[in-house]
Structure formats: structure tokens, C-alpha cells
Amino acid sequence: MAGQQFQYDDSGNTFFYFLTSFVGLIVIPATYYLWPRDQNAEQLRLKSLRRVHGRCLWYRLRLMKSQQSIVPTLKKAALLFGWAVFLFLAYKVSKLDREYQEYNPYEVLHLEAGASIAEIKKQYRVLSLKHHPDKGGDEAMFMKLAKAYSALTNEESRNNWEMYGNPDGPRVTSFGIALPAWIVDQKNSMLVLLVYGLAFMVILPVVVGTWWYRSIRYSGDQILINTTQLFMHFMYKTPTMNMKRLGMVLTAAFEFDPRSNKEAIIRPTDNIEVPQLIRELGNINVKKKEPPFCYPYSLKARVLLLAHLARMDVSDNIEEDQRFVVKKCPALLQEIINVGCQLTMMATSRGGLRAPRLTSIENCMKLSQMVVQGLQEAKSPLLQLPHFEEEHLRYCMSKKVHLSQRRCSTQKDLLKQLCLIPQLLCKNFSNLLNTAHLSLQYKVRTLQDLVSLKDSDRRNMLRFLGEEKYDEVLAVLWSFPYINMETKLQVLDDEDSNNITAGSIVTVTVTLTRKRMSMFEKEEDAPLPAEETNAEEQGDAKTNKTKVWQNKNKGAKKAAKSKKKKLTKKKPVTQQQAKGDKAKQANGNVAGNDVAAASKAEEDDLSDKGSESDEAEGNKDSPSERDEESDKQSDTEVDEIAGDDEEEWEALQQSIQRRERALLETKSKVTHPVYSLYFPEEKQEWWWLYIADRKEQTLVSMPSHVCTLKDTEEVELKFPAPSKTGNYQYSVILRSDSFMGLDQIKPLKVSFFFSYTIFFFGNVFLFLCYIFIR
């Protein structure tokens, strides 16, 4: 009777199969995830960014890191060693003998399957004489031949072989354990037990416990839980937080405390260098005794952050600490914004709690821009550009030069005065012409103002730059983003999505389209319309050049006005106007011909309309035709209503599909690298989008952190409509977390109506409750 037998691998062959599979399961996924990416591709990417980001701190640090780092080489060496072991084990397994082979008596007798009995006997006789032990043959081979001959000639043995694969009948099933026999040997039992105890009772619990206790200290955004609680305490304590107070709260985070974060370091030289920076910075509330602002780690972080915003040079000893503080700030500021939003939601839902003011949350966003660009709040956004210093800003502001007693308002007046000055013939004529450039009035305070200038005016204003530096400034300026923002207001899942009732959930769909400033490069050199060019030739100094940012709005207004003019009905020409036209034509006025022609055309149109109206009056007497026209009008109205319903239904389905795709898809947060001269690591362009009531200084919708805006992004902002009906003035605000001076504010006027359906069903419900109580 067949049985089961378990045995360890005495030969070690099965253990090689296990070891090969185990090494393969480690090496193959590790190669996919840990193999260093193509260094050439990274070098090419950095090379493509060199023209714009070549002066950025993060770019120079990335180049140094890629050149000095040996981590990729070590990873490659470790993975190649793992593959060498795997291939060696696979080769070893391929050379092992097969322990189990299917028994085939025909192969033993060197016969083909289906041979006859006579052929089997003849072959057996020949082989038995050859391998008989008495004649010097192999005894084992002779026993195999006898067993094969019996299996093919004996009927019982043949049946056993066909049924069980063995002439002797069913045999014991053996299971091999893929471990060598020396592991279960009694001599090695204590050593094996010690290894198992250390691996599964000491090492594994320590590793899992260390990972668990480290992970529970951090939130989902890798911010310490203690830091989040600290931010919530101070945001609730001071709802209106100015920039100075916000900087103190930010640098009090436990990420900068060496006791909570091992990356933070307190150096012995801090007692000398930090007080020196404090004296250079001035008043930074050193004597404030409120904890944790008075702790050494908080004071050091605050000093290093303020020195970064002032673009002060620090010593090499604390430069690494300053980079660490600056890198942590954007994530911490985002956590402060999240905490402020949570407190706002709690104050709205529960009541009785103090919600943070809008200025506090917006100060967090502004501070993020300041940290990335390394600028103070009152500094000009033009300092984000390369080669721009404080002394260069005077070229961008309004400058006037008085070469005489009178003020030169335009360049032509200046040239007239220069012509009247007899000193033009002297040797300093060239110097006077050079100073004449200062008479041009520039009011460039933002990046948009700089873009809107003509190329010649821009080059004249930035004449303190050489050609190479000027080209670099333009390359950086054209790489800055310009966001086109379109809003759509509706109530989803409602019969009438356009009419907003009080208490409903309002959805504002904002479509963001990112463009580059370079798109306006061609527009600024384009010729102006004829009227503007004539005005310039006449020397009209009062007409200012329209900025690029206002062209679209004005074009839209003109188009709307033209449409309104076309839609307005033409007034009938009176007899006095006709006589006046004839009189003008008789006096020889050139424009009178056109007016007369236009009046004749209008009279023809009126006569045509009059004939049509006469025909219509003649047809009014037929009631059948009137019924047909009314039926047609009702059919067209029904078709229009049905078409509108279908369009609303399709729009609703598309919005649902977009939301489902957004939930399933995971978009990359790698958008566009930010140009930042003093930020120590590569930063991507991210934005905050929210709706606010700037009059009441409150958030209407929670800020959405848009991290996937590469070309076009659609964001939905939802907020509950107020319970009171009326007109409300909100603002849709878009703020960058990296650039200063690129924020946008778009007004949003919302009218909330009274819902008679809710009023009706509410009264019915109250009436039923009253009846039930009675």
C-alpha cells in the first residue's frame, strides 16, 4: 500500500532550487526600483535648464551632487553582485541530475514503444548475455534489464506499470524539504535554535517596532504631530497673525529641535555666530520669554530664516543649517494653511470658535513665496530676476531730468530744449545725450510692467546690463508663468444649475491654463492700430500704451459693444433728417453722399418691411394658418427645452466622468522647475486656489493646493450658499507658492434666490408634525 514519506535533502539539490528562487525574488524587484536612472538623461535635463536656471543655488548644488556622489556606483555594484549570485545558482541548478525520471522499460531495453513479444525476448537475450554478472557485466544494469523484461512480458507487472508507472505496483510518495540535513542534525540543534530566536524574537520585533514608533510621530505629509498641535494652538490663540508673528511660529516647529529631529544640529559655534547675525539683523524679539520662541533652536532657526530673506552671507559653519531650515519651510507653511482651514471648518460647523482671519492664511502663502525667492515682503518682485540689485531699481522707476527751468514732459520737448542750448557744440554733447535717456518716464514695478514694455524701451531701461546679462534676464523673464483663469458657477445635481438657491452647495469650476511670458514677446513688437500710430506721430503725451494684460479685456468689450449695436433696431428716418441730408448733399459735403446712400438703403429696407407687414396683415384673416404657426412655435419651444435638458445632462455626465478619472488617475507633481536664486533644492510650480470674501476677511471655500498644473488643469471649488438671499461679492484668488507678484484676483458676483420648493415642503412637514402632535 502506498504511503507518504518526508525527508530532508541529504544531497543538497533541492536546497539550491529554494535558494535560487529566493535570490531571484529579491534581485529582480530591487533592480527595477533601485537601479540608478540614466545619468546621461539627468545630465541632459540639467543641460537644457542651464540657460535659465544656471545661476540658481539648487542647480549648482545638483551639479556638484551628481559629480561627487558615489551612491549610484555602489547601488550598481550591489545589484550586479546579486545578479552574479543568481546566475551562478541558476547554472548550478541546471547541472544537477534529475532525481525523478519516469520509468520506461522500452528505454531500458533500447526498444521502440509497441515492440512485439518476440522482439522483446530477443533484445533481452542479447543484453543479458552482455551485462550478466558471471560474464563480467554490471549487476545493477542486469537487474534493470530483468525488471524491464518482466514488466513487458508478465501481465500483472505490465498492468502495474501502466497504472502506477512502476512494475512493482504503487510505491511510497516522498516529499523533499528544501533544507539541508545538517540543519536538523542533533549536533547543530542549539546553534539553529539560537539563530531562529535572534531572527524572529529579537531582530524582527525591533525593526518593526522602530518603524512603527517613528511613523506614528509623523502625519501624512511627513510633519511631526507635535508640530501640527503647536501650529493649531497658536493659530487659535492669534487669529490675526502678522508676518513677524508668523515667522516666529514657523521657526518654533519641532523639526528644528535636535531632540525631535536628528537632522537638526546645535553646533558649539552657534554661541558666537548667531548673536553676530542678531546684531546685523536688528530687532527680532530676542527678549521674548514666551515658549517655545525663547528656546535656542527656535531662535537659531528664526535668525537663519531672516538672514535668508535679507540675502545675507553666513559663514560656512551654519550655511548647511540655513539650507536645512529653508528647505523645511514650504512644507511647514502648507501645514499651517491646513490647520487654519481645519479651524475655519470647525468654527463654521460648530460655532463659538474663533476662526483664523483671511490675512493670516494669506500671509502664510506670501511667506512661502518670500522663502523660495529669498526676498523680504516689501522688496520689489523685479529682484527675482538675475543681475538685479537694489541700486538697479532706480532705473525702473519714474525719473525726470531738468535741463532748464521748465520741466521736460516728453522726449520731443527735451530735444527742443537741447536745440536751444548753445552748449551743444561743446565736447560734452555726448554726455548730454546720454543723460537725455533719463528723461524717459518708466513706471516698472512688477514683472508684468517689464513684459509690457517695447523691446527698445526695455533695453534702454536696462542699459546697465551687458548683452549677455540682458539676454539672460530675458530668458528668465520669458520662462515665468502666466496663468489664464476661467470660472464657471453652477449647482450640480440640480434641475436648474444656473439659478442658485440659498443653502445649496455651489460649485465653481475654475479652468487654469498655464502659458509662458514669452507668448507676449511677439505681441509687444506688433504694429499698433492706425489711430494709435497717428496719435503717437502727433506727439500726444497723454495717451498711454495699453498693456498686454489689458488687450484681451478691451477686445472683448469692443466685441460686445459691436454685437449690441447690431442687435439694436434701426430707427426710421424722419422727414427732417432726410431734408438735412439733402441739404448737406447740395452744399457739396463729401460725407453727405455716404449718408444719402445709407438713408436710401434704410428707406428701401423700410419699404420692404412695410410690404412684408402688409402681406402679414393680409394673411391674418386665415385662422388655419395662424393655428399652424402657433403649433410650429410650440414645437420649436419644446425642442429648445429638450435640447437644453440634453446639454445639461451631457455636461453633468462629463463632470461625473472627470471626477471619476481624477480619483483613479494619479498625476505627477512634477510640473515646471521654479527659478529661485537662493532656494537650496529644486522646487516645482504649485498654486493655491480659493474663494474668499475680502470684505468680511473670511474664507468661502477651502484653499485647493494645485500641484499638477503643467498645461491645463480644471479645479472644482465647493462652498455652501448662505442662508440669506441677495447679491454677494466674492473673489476667486490664485496665488503662487513660489513666485512673488504673479497672484491673480478675479471678482465673482453671486446672487442667491429663495427656494419655494423647500419652503413648500418645509411648511407641509411642519403641518404634518402639528397634526401628529394634536
Side-chain angles (χ1 to χ4, degrees):
M1 183 177 178
Q4 295 180 352
Q5 180 181 0
F6 295 90
Q7 60 182 1
Y8 286 92
D9 184 18
D10 295 328
S11 61
N13 295 341
T14 313
F15 181 68
F16 276 109
Y17 284 101
F18 166 75
L19 196 60
T20 304
S21 303
F22 181 76
V23 172
L25 288 174
I26 294 177
V27 169
I28 295 174
T31 304
Y32 179 78
Y33 288 105
L34 299 180
W35 184 265
R37 302 305 176 194
D38 190 5
Q39 296 296 320
N40 295 329
E42 180 65 15
Q43 292 294 334
L44 290 174
R45 189 183 78 89
L46 293 176
K47 189 176 181 180
S48 64
L49 297 174
R50 182 177 182 180
R51 182 170 179 264
V52 176
H53 301 272
R55 292 188 175 272
C56 296
L57 176 62
W58 69 264
Y59 185 87
R60 291 184 273 116
L61 293 176
R62 179 68 63 84
L63 283 180
M64 294 172 56
K65 186 178 179 181
S66 61
Q67 293 173 0
Q68 299 176 359
S69 179
I70 60 171
V71 175
T73 305
L74 295 177
K75 285 183 178 180
K76 287 183 178 180
L79 292 173
L80 289 175
F81 176 76
W83 275 101
V85 173
F86 177 72
L87 293 176
F88 172 75
L89 293 174
Y91 174 77
K92 190 78 174 174
V93 168
S94 65
K95 295 297 182 181
L96 295 177
D97 294 334
R98 293 178 60 189
E99 292 185 353
Y100 174 75
Q101 295 181 354
E102 186 178 357
Y103 182 73
N104 190 352
Y106 290 104
E107 292 181 0
V108 176
L109 295 175
H110 304 289
L111 292 174
E112 295 181 357
S116 61
I117 300 297
E119 292 175 351
I120 294 171
K121 290 180 178 181
K122 182 180 178 180
Q123 185 68 11
Y124 173 70
R125 189 179 300 109
V126 172
L127 294 177
S128 62
L129 292 174
K130 181 179 178 181
H131 298 284
H132 200 281
D134 296 341
K135 295 183 179 182
D138 188 4
E139 183 178 0
M141 188 62 189
F142 182 77
M143 294 300 295
K144 290 181 180 180
L145 293 173
K147 186 177 180 179
Y149 176 74
S150 174
L152 295 176
T153 55
N154 189 357
E155 185 177 357
E156 183 179 356
S157 299
R158 191 181 182 90
N159 292 334
N160 289 334
W161 173 65
E162 291 177 354
M163 292 178 64
Y164 306 108
N166 187 22
D168 298 331
R171 57 184 178 179
V172 176
T173 303
S174 62
F175 296 92
I177 300 176
L179 291 175
W182 61 266
I183 291 181
V184 293
D185 193 357
Q186 189 174 2
K187 298 178 181 179
N188 304 325
S189 59
M190 294 300 296
L191 179 62
V192 173
L193 186 62
L194 180 63
V195 171
Y196 270 84
L198 287 174
F200 294 101
M201 298 180 65
V202 178
I203 297 176
L204 185 62
V206 168
V207 171
V208 174
T210 304
W211 169 81
W212 173 252
Y213 284 110
R214 283 184 180 179
S215 61
I216 61 175
R217 295 172 58 227
Y218 293 89
S219 62
D221 297 328
Q222 295 302 309
I223 304 296
L224 288 171
I225 300 295
N226 294 334
T227 301
T228 304
Q229 294 174 353
L230 177 75
F231 290 161
M232 185 165 289
H233 168 72
F234 283 107
M235 285 292 285
Y236 181 75
K237 184 179 180 181
T238 54
T240 304
M241 193 177 296
N242 57 17
M243 196 66 71
K244 194 172 184 178
R245 176 77 174 180
L246 179 61
M248 297 175 63
V249 173
L250 174 65
T251 52
F254 288 96
E255 273 76 5
F256 307 131
D257 189 358
R259 295 172 297 179
S260 302
N261 189 3
K262 294 182 179 180
E263 296 180 13
I265 301 175
I266 296 294
R267 305 179 188 272
T269 57
D270 293 344
N271 296 328
I272 301 173
E273 296 177 351
V274 172
Q276 183 178 357
L277 287 175
I278 291 174
R279 286 192 296 270
E280 294 178 4
L281 288 170
N283 184 20
I284 58 170
N285 289 342
V286 180
K287 297 181 180 180
K288 196 172 185 62
K289 301 301 181 182
E290 184 181 2
F293 305 138
C294 58
Y295 294 162
Y297 81 90
S298 176
L299 181 62
K300 178 184 176 181
R302 184 160 72 252
V303 170
L304 293 178
L305 179 61
L306 293 177
H308 168 73
L309 296 180
R311 294 188 175 182
M312 294 173 54
D313 294 331
V314 296
S315 63
D316 297 336
N317 295 330
I318 58 176
E319 186 178 8
E320 192 65 29
D321 298 341
Q322 187 185 42
R323 292 174 183 173
F324 168 74
V325 171
V326 171
K327 283 192 295 186
K328 287 286 185 181
C329 284
L332 293 174
L333 287 169
Q334 176 61 35
E335 186 67 18
I336 296 177
I337 293 173
N338 294 337
V339 168
C341 295
Q342 293 175 10
L343 290 175
T344 303
M345 294 175 63
M346 292 169 60
T348 305
S349 59
R350 298 181 184 179
L353 298 177
R354 292 187 298 177
R357 303 288 290 175
L358 180 62
T359 52
S360 302
I361 297 175
E362 289 184 341
N363 283 338
C364 295
M365 300 177 183
K366 293 177 183 178
L367 185 57
S368 178
Q369 301 171 1
M370 294 160 52
V371 169
V372 174
Q373 295 299 333
L375 284 174
Q376 295 175 347
E377 184 180 10
K379 297 298 181 180
S380 172
L382 297 175
L383 296 177
Q384 299 174 102
L385 299 173
H387 310 297
F388 261 84
E389 301 296 339
E390 288 286 345
E391 60 269 15
H392 297 150
L393 294 177
R394 62 189 179 89
Y395 294 95
C396 304
M397 298 303 173
S398 178
K399 294 290 182 182
K400 298 178 183 180
V401 174
H402 304 277
L403 295 179
S404 67
Q405 297 295 330
R406 294 180 299 167
R407 177 171 294 186
C408 303
S409 59
T410 62
Q411 190 174 6
K412 285 190 175 183
D413 296 337
L414 176 65
L415 293 176
K416 288 179 181 179
Q417 291 189 15
L418 289 175
C419 293
L420 296 175
I421 296 176
Q423 296 177 358
L424 293 177
L425 301 176
C426 66
K427 297 180 180 180
N428 296 328
F429 176 64
S430 59
N431 296 332
L432 289 173
L433 289 179
N434 291 331
T435 57
H437 290 294
L438 293 176
S439 65
L440 297 177
Q441 297 185 15
Y442 299 114
K443 294 183 180 179
V444 178
R445 292 183 175 86
T446 63
L447 297 171
Q448 292 87 341
D449 294 338
L450 186 60
V451 170
S452 62
L453 288 177
K454 289 184 178 180
D455 188 49
S456 58
D457 295 340
R458 189 188 304 113
R459 187 68 187 96
N460 183 26
M461 187 186 72
L462 303 180
R463 61 188 174 278
F464 59 89
L465 298 175
E467 288 297 330
E468 294 183 359
K469 293 183 178 180
Y470 178 72
D471 293 339
E472 184 179 351
V473 168
L474 285 187
V476 173
L477 181 62
W478 298 145
S479 67
F480 275 52
Y482 169 68
I483 308 300
N484 184 23
M485 184 168 57
E486 297 179 359
T487 59
K488 182 181 179 182
L489 187 69
Q490 58 183 348
V491 179
L492 298 178
D493 304 332
D494 199 356
E495 294 181 356
D496 191 357
S497 60
N498 295 324
N499 291 332
I500 304 172
T501 57
S504 61
I505 302 298
V506 184
T507 302
V508 180
T509 305
V510 184
T511 304
L512 303 175
T513 305
R514 185 195 184 274
K515 300 176 183 178
R516 299 176 62 184
M517 292 285 190
S518 59
M519 65 173 290
F520 303 109
E521 184 178 5
K522 296 181 179 180
E523 294 185 10
E524 60 187 347
D525 296 331
L528 296 173
E531 296 179 358
E532 296 182 2
T533 54
N534 293 332
E536 288 181 357
E537 291 175 359
Q538 294 172 2
D540 187 5
K542 295 182 180 180
T543 57
N544 297 326
K545 183 189 172 192
T546 58
K547 296 182 180 180
V548 180
W549 320 98
Q550 299 174 357
N551 288 341
K552 294 183 179 180
N553 297 331
K554 290 188 176 181
K557 290 179 180 179
K558 289 180 180 178
K561 288 181 180 179
S562 62
K563 288 182 179 178
K564 288 181 179 180
K565 288 181 180 179
K566 291 180 180 179
L567 292 174
T568 54
K569 295 182 179 181
K570 297 179 181 179
K571 297 181 181 180
V573 181
T574 60
Q575 294 180 358
Q576 294 180 356
Q577 291 176 351
K579 290 180 180 179
D581 294 337
K582 290 180 180 179
K584 288 181 181 179
Q585 187 175 5
N587 293 330
N589 190 1
V590 179
N593 297 328
D594 299 333
V595 176
S599 62
K600 287 182 180 179
E602 290 178 358
E603 289 176 358
D604 295 337
D605 294 336
L606 290 172
S607 62
D608 295 337
K609 289 181 180 179
S611 61
E612 289 178 0
S613 61
D614 294 338
E615 292 177 359
E617 288 177 358
N619 294 330
K620 281 182 181 179
D621 297 334
S622 55
S624 59
E625 293 181 359
R626 278 183 288 173
D627 295 339
E628 290 178 359
E629 289 179 359
S630 61
D631 294 338
K632 289 180 180 180
Q633 290 178 357
S634 60
D635 293 337
T636 53
E637 291 177 358
V638 171
D639 294 337
E640 289 178 357
I641 294 171
D644 294 339
D645 294 339
E646 291 178 358
E647 290 179 358
E648 291 180 0
W649 175 254
E650 290 178 358
L652 178 61
Q653 293 298 321
Q654 290 177 0
S655 64
I656 293 173
Q657 292 176 2
R658 282 196 300 268
R659 276 180 280 175
E660 291 177 352
R661 285 197 301 268
L663 291 174
L664 296 175
E665 295 178 359
T666 54
K667 293 185 179 180
S668 175
K669 292 187 177 182
V670 178
T671 55
H672 300 275
V674 174
Y675 183 84
S676 53
L677 288 170
Y678 296 93
F679 198 69
E681 69 177 359
E682 185 177 1
K683 178 76 172 62
Q684 301 296 323
E685 289 181 10
W686 293 345
W687 305 82
W688 284 296
L689 183 65
Y690 58 99
I691 302 174
D693 189 348
R694 302 188 68 84
K695 184 178 179 180
E696 300 293 335
Q697 283 293 307
T698 56
L699 280 173
V700 178
S701 72
M702 297 300 106
S704 175
H705 203 194
V706 184
C707 304
T708 56
L709 177 57
K710 199 167 186 179
D711 296 316
T712 304
E713 189 72 18
E714 193 174 85
V715 184
E716 289 186 353
L717 302 176
K718 296 185 178 181
F719 64 93
S723 57
K724 295 182 180 180
T725 60
N727 298 326
Y728 290 81
Q729 182 72 32
Y730 296 144
S731 299
V732 181
I733 305 173
L734 178 69
R735 291 190 183 274
S736 173
D737 69 342
S738 307
F739 295 106
M740 296 178 65
L742 297 183
D743 302 336
Q744 295 188 32
I745 300 176
K746 192 171 185 179
L748 182 67
K749 296 181 179 179
V750 188
S751 299
F752 300 106
F753 301 97
F754 183 75
S755 178
Y756 291 97
T757 305
I758 299 175
F759 176 74
F760 174 74
F761 284 107
N763 290 335
V764 170
F765 177 75
L766 292 176
F767 179 71
L768 293 176
C769 292
Y770 174 74
I771 293 176
F772 179 75
I773 293 172
R774 291 294 299 270

